[in-house]
Amino acid sequence: MTPEQEPRGPVDASLTPRYAGIATFAKLPRIEDVPSADIAVVGVPFDTGVSFRPGARFGPSHVREASRLLRPYNPAQDVSPFALRQVVDAGDIVANPFNLAEAVEQIETAATELGDRVDKIVTIGGDHTIALPLLRAVNKKHGPVAVLHFDAHLDTWDTYFGAPTTHGTPFRRASEEGLIDLSASMHGGIRGPLYGKGDLEDDAALGFQIVTTEFVEEHGVPAALERIRERVGRAPLYISIDIDVLDPAHAPGTGTPEAGGLTSRELLRIIRGLADLPIVGADVVEVAPAYDHAQITAVAASHVVYELVSAMSAQSG
Ligand SMILES: N=C(N)NCCCC(=O)O
Ligand SMILES: [Zn+2]
Ligand SMILES: [Zn+2]
Protein backbone atom coordinates (compact mmCIF):
# COMPACT_ATOMS: atom_id res chain seq x y z
CA MET A 1 0.00 0.00 0.00
CA THR A 2 1.35 3.45 -0.88
CA PRO A 3 0.90 6.09 1.85
CA GLU A 4 -1.93 7.68 -0.19
CA GLN A 5 -3.77 4.37 -0.26
CA GLU A 6 -3.45 3.75 3.44
CA PRO A 7 -6.71 4.16 5.32
CA ARG A 8 -7.16 7.44 7.09
CA GLY A 9 -7.70 6.53 10.70
CA PRO A 10 -9.23 8.39 13.63
CA VAL A 11 -8.04 11.79 14.79
CA ASP A 12 -4.81 11.14 16.70
CA ALA A 13 -5.76 11.28 20.39
CA SER A 14 -2.18 12.09 21.35
CA LEU A 15 -2.37 15.32 19.34
CA THR A 16 -6.00 16.35 19.80
CA PRO A 17 -7.75 15.58 23.08
CA ARG A 18 -10.49 13.04 22.55
CA TYR A 19 -13.08 15.34 24.04
CA ALA A 20 -12.27 18.08 21.52
CA GLY A 21 -13.79 18.36 18.09
CA ILE A 22 -16.94 17.03 16.49
CA ALA A 23 -17.88 13.48 17.41
CA THR A 24 -17.86 11.21 14.42
CA PHE A 25 -17.92 7.55 15.39
CA ALA A 26 -14.56 6.82 17.07
CA LYS A 27 -13.29 10.19 15.69
CA LEU A 28 -13.05 8.54 12.27
CA PRO A 29 -13.15 10.59 9.07
CA ARG A 30 -16.47 11.40 7.48
CA ILE A 31 -17.26 9.60 4.26
CA GLU A 32 -16.98 12.90 2.37
CA ASP A 33 -13.40 13.32 3.53
CA VAL A 34 -11.90 10.20 1.93
CA PRO A 35 -11.77 9.02 -1.70
CA SER A 36 -13.37 5.66 -0.94
CA ALA A 37 -14.34 3.54 2.04
CA ASP A 38 -14.68 -0.13 2.96
CA ILE A 39 -16.84 0.04 6.08
CA ALA A 40 -19.32 2.77 7.02
CA VAL A 41 -20.94 3.50 10.36
CA VAL A 42 -24.20 5.34 9.72
CA GLY A 43 -26.89 6.70 12.02
CA VAL A 44 -30.63 6.42 11.62
CA PRO A 45 -32.19 8.88 14.07
CA PHE A 46 -35.74 7.58 13.93
CA ASP A 47 -38.17 6.38 16.61
CA THR A 48 -41.65 6.73 15.17
CA GLY A 49 -42.10 2.93 15.45
CA VAL A 50 -41.91 2.54 19.22
CA SER A 51 -44.56 0.93 21.42
CA PHE A 52 -43.40 2.40 24.73
CA ARG A 53 -40.80 5.03 25.65
CA PRO A 54 -39.69 7.20 22.74
CA GLY A 55 -36.22 8.72 22.37
CA ALA A 56 -34.11 6.37 20.24
CA ARG A 57 -34.00 9.11 17.59
CA PHE A 58 -31.25 10.58 19.76
CA GLY A 59 -29.32 7.29 19.78
CA PRO A 60 -26.80 7.91 16.98
CA SER A 61 -25.38 11.15 18.37
CA HIS A 62 -25.29 9.71 21.90
CA VAL A 63 -23.36 6.63 20.78
CA ARG A 64 -20.95 8.79 18.76
CA GLU A 65 -20.28 10.95 21.85
CA ALA A 66 -19.47 7.84 23.90
CA SER A 67 -17.28 6.41 21.12
CA ARG A 68 -14.63 9.14 21.50
CA LEU A 69 -12.59 6.95 23.82
CA LEU A 70 -12.32 3.91 21.54
CA ARG A 71 -8.72 3.14 20.61
CA PRO A 72 -7.37 1.89 17.30
CA TYR A 73 -6.08 -1.56 18.33
CA ASN A 74 -8.53 -4.23 19.46
CA PRO A 75 -6.56 -6.80 21.48
CA ALA A 76 -9.58 -9.10 21.94
CA GLN A 77 -9.67 -9.70 18.19
CA ASP A 78 -5.99 -8.88 17.60
CA VAL A 79 -6.91 -6.42 14.87
CA SER A 80 -6.45 -2.73 14.09
CA PRO A 81 -9.69 -2.25 12.17
CA PHE A 82 -9.11 1.36 11.16
CA ALA A 83 -5.64 0.58 9.76
CA LEU A 84 -6.76 -2.53 7.93
CA ARG A 85 -9.76 -0.93 6.21
CA GLN A 86 -10.99 2.54 5.49
CA VAL A 87 -13.71 2.90 8.10
CA VAL A 88 -15.80 6.07 7.95
CA ASP A 89 -18.73 7.79 9.57
CA ALA A 90 -21.39 8.25 6.89
CA GLY A 91 -23.47 10.65 8.97
CA ASP A 92 -27.19 10.21 9.52
CA ILE A 93 -29.88 8.98 7.16
CA VAL A 94 -32.76 11.44 7.03
CA ALA A 95 -36.03 9.73 7.94
CA ASN A 96 -39.34 11.63 8.09
CA PRO A 97 -40.53 11.51 11.72
CA PHE A 98 -44.13 12.30 10.73
CA ASN A 99 -44.56 9.63 8.06
CA LEU A 100 -43.40 6.15 8.98
CA ALA A 101 -43.96 4.66 5.52
CA GLU A 102 -41.96 7.41 3.88
CA ALA A 103 -39.22 7.07 6.51
CA VAL A 104 -38.93 3.35 5.86
CA GLU A 105 -38.51 4.06 2.15
CA GLN A 106 -35.94 6.77 2.80
CA ILE A 107 -33.93 4.38 4.97
CA GLU A 108 -34.03 1.62 2.34
CA THR A 109 -32.99 3.99 -0.44
CA ALA A 110 -30.17 5.59 1.54
CA ALA A 111 -28.88 2.23 2.81
CA THR A 112 -28.96 0.84 -0.74
CA GLU A 113 -26.98 3.81 -2.06
CA LEU A 114 -24.49 3.60 0.78
CA GLY A 115 -24.19 -0.16 0.20
CA ASP A 116 -23.16 0.60 -3.39
CA ARG A 117 -20.33 2.81 -2.13
CA VAL A 118 -18.93 0.65 0.67
CA ASP A 119 -18.48 -3.02 1.34
CA LYS A 120 -20.19 -3.20 4.73
CA ILE A 121 -22.39 -1.00 6.90
CA VAL A 122 -22.98 -0.88 10.65
CA THR A 123 -26.07 1.16 11.44
CA ILE A 124 -26.76 2.89 14.74
CA GLY A 125 -30.47 3.32 15.49
CA GLY A 126 -33.01 4.46 15.94
CA ASP A 127 -35.72 2.04 17.02
CA HIS A 128 -35.86 -1.53 15.75
CA THR A 129 -38.29 -0.67 12.94
CA ILE A 130 -35.24 0.32 10.91
CA ALA A 131 -34.08 -3.30 10.64
CA LEU A 132 -36.78 -3.88 8.02
CA PRO A 133 -35.62 -1.32 5.43
CA LEU A 134 -32.00 -2.19 6.26
CA LEU A 135 -32.69 -5.85 5.50
CA ARG A 136 -34.45 -4.87 2.29
CA ALA A 137 -31.30 -3.04 1.23
CA VAL A 138 -29.05 -5.93 2.29
CA ASN A 139 -31.26 -8.36 0.39
CA LYS A 140 -30.79 -6.45 -2.85
CA LYS A 141 -27.03 -6.87 -2.51
CA HIS A 142 -26.74 -10.36 -1.01
CA GLY A 143 -30.08 -12.15 -1.41
CA PRO A 144 -31.62 -13.78 1.66
CA VAL A 145 -29.21 -13.58 4.60
CA ALA A 146 -28.98 -15.44 7.89
CA VAL A 147 -30.16 -13.09 10.61
CA LEU A 148 -28.70 -13.29 14.08
CA HIS A 149 -30.89 -11.07 16.21
CA PHE A 150 -29.90 -10.19 19.79
CA ASP A 151 -32.79 -8.76 21.75
CA ALA A 152 -34.88 -9.23 24.88
CA HIS A 153 -37.84 -9.28 22.48
CA LEU A 154 -38.78 -11.53 19.59
CA ASP A 155 -39.79 -8.64 17.31
CA THR A 156 -41.77 -11.12 15.23
CA TRP A 157 -45.13 -9.87 16.45
CA ASP A 158 -47.73 -9.19 13.77
CA THR A 159 -49.23 -5.74 14.35
CA TYR A 160 -49.62 -3.06 17.03
CA PHE A 161 -52.88 -1.08 16.90
CA GLY A 162 -53.31 -2.58 13.45
CA ALA A 163 -49.98 -1.19 12.27
CA PRO A 164 -47.73 -3.72 10.51
CA THR A 165 -44.52 -1.69 10.61
CA THR A 166 -43.31 -1.08 14.18
CA HIS A 167 -40.28 -1.85 16.30
CA GLY A 168 -41.96 -5.06 17.50
CA THR A 169 -42.56 -6.48 14.00
CA PRO A 170 -39.51 -6.09 11.71
CA PHE A 171 -38.49 -9.75 11.62
CA ARG A 172 -42.05 -10.93 10.90
CA ARG A 173 -42.28 -8.56 7.92
CA ALA A 174 -38.76 -9.45 6.75
CA SER A 175 -39.64 -13.16 6.98
CA GLU A 176 -42.82 -12.68 4.97
CA GLU A 177 -40.90 -10.77 2.31
CA GLY A 178 -38.33 -13.54 1.93
CA LEU A 179 -35.47 -11.29 3.01
CA ILE A 180 -34.17 -13.80 5.54
CA ASP A 181 -32.68 -17.28 5.22
CA LEU A 182 -34.97 -18.83 7.81
CA SER A 183 -33.05 -22.11 7.84
CA ALA A 184 -30.09 -20.27 9.40
CA SER A 185 -31.60 -17.52 11.54
CA MET A 186 -31.76 -17.15 15.28
CA HIS A 187 -32.65 -14.87 18.15
CA GLY A 188 -30.18 -14.50 21.02
CA GLY A 189 -30.87 -13.26 24.54
CA ILE A 190 -34.66 -13.48 24.42
CA ARG A 191 -36.30 -13.16 27.85
CA GLY A 192 -39.17 -11.65 29.73
CA PRO A 193 -42.94 -11.66 29.61
CA LEU A 194 -44.81 -12.28 26.35
CA TYR A 195 -48.42 -11.66 25.28
CA GLY A 196 -48.96 -15.43 25.28
CA LYS A 197 -47.34 -18.77 24.61
CA GLY A 198 -48.49 -18.39 21.01
CA ASP A 199 -45.82 -15.72 20.48
CA LEU A 200 -43.17 -18.43 20.74
CA GLU A 201 -45.15 -20.82 18.55
CA ASP A 202 -45.62 -18.16 15.86
CA ASP A 203 -41.94 -17.34 15.99
CA ALA A 204 -40.94 -20.99 15.64
CA ALA A 205 -43.44 -21.41 12.79
CA LEU A 206 -41.68 -18.63 10.90
CA GLY A 207 -38.50 -20.70 11.28
CA PHE A 208 -36.49 -18.90 13.94
CA GLN A 209 -34.57 -20.67 16.67
CA ILE A 210 -33.76 -19.10 20.03
CA VAL A 211 -30.84 -19.04 22.46
CA THR A 212 -32.33 -17.47 25.55
CA THR A 213 -30.56 -15.38 28.18
CA GLU A 214 -31.26 -18.23 30.60
CA PHE A 215 -29.35 -20.61 28.31
CA VAL A 216 -26.33 -18.30 28.40
CA GLU A 217 -26.50 -18.12 32.18
CA GLU A 218 -26.99 -21.88 32.59
CA HIS A 219 -24.46 -23.14 30.03
CA GLY A 220 -22.15 -20.19 29.44
CA VAL A 221 -20.96 -18.20 26.45
CA PRO A 222 -18.99 -21.04 24.77
CA ALA A 223 -22.07 -23.29 24.66
CA ALA A 224 -24.22 -20.43 23.36
CA LEU A 225 -21.65 -19.73 20.67
CA GLU A 226 -21.63 -23.37 19.68
CA ARG A 227 -25.40 -23.32 19.17
CA ILE A 228 -25.32 -20.03 17.27
CA ARG A 229 -22.48 -21.11 15.00
CA GLU A 230 -24.11 -24.43 14.26
CA ARG A 231 -27.30 -22.63 13.29
CA VAL A 232 -25.92 -19.81 11.12
CA GLY A 233 -23.23 -21.94 9.44
CA ARG A 234 -21.30 -20.05 6.76
CA ALA A 235 -24.30 -18.22 5.29
CA PRO A 236 -23.94 -14.47 4.69
CA LEU A 237 -24.80 -13.12 8.12
CA TYR A 238 -26.64 -9.99 9.20
CA ILE A 239 -26.38 -9.21 12.93
CA SER A 240 -29.09 -7.04 14.48
CA ILE A 241 -28.46 -6.02 18.07
CA ASP A 242 -31.18 -4.41 20.16
CA ILE A 243 -29.28 -2.91 23.09
CA ASP A 244 -32.12 -4.07 25.41
CA VAL A 245 -30.63 -7.57 25.09
CA LEU A 246 -28.37 -6.26 27.85
CA ASP A 247 -29.60 -6.14 31.42
CA PRO A 248 -30.99 -2.71 32.35
CA ALA A 249 -28.00 -2.45 34.72
CA HIS A 250 -25.78 -2.52 31.64
CA ALA A 251 -28.11 -0.61 29.35
CA PRO A 252 -30.70 1.50 31.18
CA GLY A 253 -31.03 3.89 28.25
CA THR A 254 -33.57 2.07 26.17
CA GLY A 255 -37.30 2.18 25.53
CA THR A 256 -38.55 -1.27 26.51
CA PRO A 257 -36.26 -2.55 29.27
CA GLU A 258 -36.60 -6.09 30.64
CA ALA A 259 -34.93 -7.37 33.82
CA GLY A 260 -32.47 -10.24 33.86
CA GLY A 261 -30.46 -9.65 30.69
CA LEU A 262 -26.97 -10.34 29.42
CA THR A 263 -23.98 -8.43 30.71
CA SER A 264 -22.09 -6.27 28.24
CA ARG A 265 -19.10 -8.58 28.84
CA GLU A 266 -21.13 -11.58 27.68
CA LEU A 267 -22.43 -9.81 24.58
CA LEU A 268 -18.95 -8.59 23.60
CA ARG A 269 -17.58 -12.11 24.04
CA ILE A 270 -20.34 -13.53 21.87
CA ILE A 271 -19.64 -11.06 19.06
CA ARG A 272 -15.92 -11.83 19.24
CA GLY A 273 -16.78 -15.50 18.95
CA LEU A 274 -18.49 -14.79 15.62
CA ALA A 275 -15.71 -12.64 14.19
CA ASP A 276 -14.64 -15.16 11.55
CA LEU A 277 -18.14 -15.51 10.07
CA PRO A 278 -19.12 -13.74 6.83
CA ILE A 279 -20.85 -10.75 8.43
CA VAL A 280 -22.36 -8.66 5.60
CA GLY A 281 -24.01 -5.98 7.74
CA ALA A 282 -25.15 -5.12 11.24
CA ASP A 283 -27.18 -2.71 13.29
CA VAL A 284 -27.19 -1.63 16.93
CA VAL A 285 -30.55 -0.14 17.83
CA GLU A 286 -32.83 1.12 20.62
CA VAL A 287 -30.35 3.33 22.51
CA ALA A 288 -32.53 6.04 24.04
CA PRO A 289 -30.33 8.58 25.84
CA ALA A 290 -33.06 10.20 27.94
CA TYR A 291 -33.08 7.10 30.16
CA ASP A 292 -29.32 6.64 30.13
CA HIS A 293 -27.00 7.58 32.98
CA ALA A 294 -23.30 8.39 32.72
CA GLN A 295 -23.36 7.09 29.13
CA ILE A 296 -23.65 3.50 30.45
CA THR A 297 -25.76 2.39 27.51
CA ALA A 298 -23.91 4.45 24.93
CA VAL A 299 -20.52 3.17 26.05
CA ALA A 300 -21.80 -0.40 25.76
CA ALA A 301 -23.31 0.30 22.33
CA SER A 302 -20.14 1.99 21.08
CA HIS A 303 -18.08 -1.03 22.09
CA VAL A 304 -20.58 -3.35 20.41
CA VAL A 305 -20.24 -1.34 17.18
CA TYR A 306 -16.44 -1.44 17.58
CA GLU A 307 -16.42 -5.24 17.92
CA LEU A 308 -18.64 -5.54 14.83
CA VAL A 309 -16.41 -3.22 12.79
CA SER A 310 -13.34 -5.12 14.05
CA ALA A 311 -14.84 -8.42 12.93
CA MET A 312 -15.84 -6.99 9.55
CA SER A 313 -12.43 -5.41 8.99
CA ALA A 314 -10.77 -8.80 9.06
CA GLN A 315 -13.12 -9.98 6.30
CA SER A 316 -13.63 -6.96 4.02
CA GLY A 317 -11.45 -6.20 1.13
N1 LIG B 1 -37.85 -3.89 19.72
C1 LIG B 1 -38.03 -3.54 20.95
N2 LIG B 1 -37.08 -2.97 21.63
N3 LIG B 1 -39.16 -3.75 21.61
C2 LIG B 1 -40.29 -4.38 21.07
C3 LIG B 1 -41.28 -4.45 22.16
C4 LIG B 1 -42.64 -4.49 21.62
C5 LIG B 1 -43.70 -4.47 22.70
O1 LIG B 1 -43.96 -3.39 23.22
O2 LIG B 1 -44.25 -5.50 23.00
ZN1 LIG C 1 -35.96 -5.25 22.37
ZN1 LIG D 1 -35.94 -5.10 19.18
Side-chain angles (χ1 to χ4, degrees), residues 31-32 40-47 56-58 60-61 64 89-97 102-115 117-118 121-127 130-131 133-135 137 238 282-283:
I31 195 165
E32 298 85 358
V41 177
V42 68
V44 181
F46 174 80
D47 62 9
R57 65 180 61 180
F58 299 108
S61 53
R64 285 189 180 103
D89 190 320
D92 285 342
I93 292 174
V94 173
N96 187 339
E102 187 188 325
V104 163
E105 276 178 27
Q106 289 171 311
I107 297 164
E108 180 185 342
T109 303
T112 304
E113 286 169 6
L114 183 57
R117 290 177 69 184
V118 302
I121 302 172
V122 181
T123 308
I124 304 172
D127 77 55
I130 70 170
L134 293 174
L135 281 168
Y238 186 87
D283 62 59

Side-chain angles (χ1 to χ4, degrees), residues 254-269:
T254 196
T256 45
E258 312 283 347
L262 298 180
T263 65
S264 42
R265 193 163 55 201
E266 286 165 337
L267 180 60
L268 295 172
R269 268 182 77 194

Side-chain angles (χ1 to χ4, degrees), residues 51 128 151 153 155 157 160 167-168 195 242 244 256 286:
S51 57
H128 224 151
D151 203 320
H153 310 99
D155 289 358
W157 285 292
Y160 285 79
H167 79 150
Y195 297 95
D242 186 326
D244 71 29
T256 45
E286 297 283 349

Side-chain angles (χ1 to χ4, degrees), residues 273-297:
L274 305 169
D276 61 313
L277 299 181
I279 303 168
V280 297
D283 62 59
V284 179
V285 299
E286 297 283 349
V287 173
Y291 319 100
D292 205 7
H293 304 273
Q295 295 185 324
I296 296 170
T297 314

Side-chain angles (χ1 to χ4, degrees), residues 31-219:
I31 195 165
E32 298 85 358
D33 297 337
V34 293
S36 67
D38 304 305
I39 300 172
V41 177
V42 68
V44 181
F46 174 80
D47 62 9
T48 304
V50 298
S51 57
F52 200 52
R53 299 167 173 175
R57 65 180 61 180
F58 299 108
S61 53
H62 188 56
V63 175
R64 285 189 180 103
E65 270 304 319
S67 74
R68 289 172 179 273
L69 188 56
L70 292 168
R71 299 182 189 84
Y73 174 62
N74 182 344
Q77 293 192 40
D78 187 22
V79 69
S80 296
F82 312 141
L84 205 52
R85 306 292 167 202
Q86 182 61 66
V87 188
V88 293
D89 190 320
D92 285 342
I93 292 174
V94 173
N96 187 339
F98 299 106
N99 185 331
L100 187 141
E102 187 188 325
V104 163
E105 276 178 27
Q106 289 171 311
I107 297 164
E108 180 185 342
T109 303
T112 304
E113 286 169 6
L114 183 57
D116 290 339
R117 290 177 69 184
V118 302
D119 189 25
K120 296 172 199 284
I121 302 172
V122 181
T123 308
I124 304 172
D127 77 55
H128 224 151
T129 310
I130 70 170
L132 178 60
L134 293 174
L135 281 168
R136 286 177 179 155
V138 164
N139 184 261
K140 282 189 239 166
K141 193 164 164 179
H142 298 282
V145 289
V147 170
L148 180 56
H149 163 224
F150 293 98
D151 203 320
H153 310 99
L154 296 165
D155 289 358
T156 51
W157 285 292
D158 191 11
T159 58
Y160 285 79
F161 292 78
T165 310
T166 76
H167 79 150
T169 58
F171 300 106
R172 164 90 66 136
R173 297 288 92 80
S175 303
E176 292 166 349
E177 291 179 24
L179 307 178
I180 301 181
D181 176 356
L182 286 160
S183 69
S185 291
M186 188 169 231
H187 308 292
I190 301 297
R191 66 183 188 277
L194 299 169
Y195 297 95
K197 207 171 179 170
D199 295 351
L200 292 169
E201 291 157 3
D202 289 356
D203 187 76
L206 286 173
F208 285 96
Q209 288 187 7
I210 298 176
V211 176
T212 60
T213 291
E214 287 81 0
F215 182 94
V216 177
E217 151 136 73
E218 189 75 16
H219 303 283

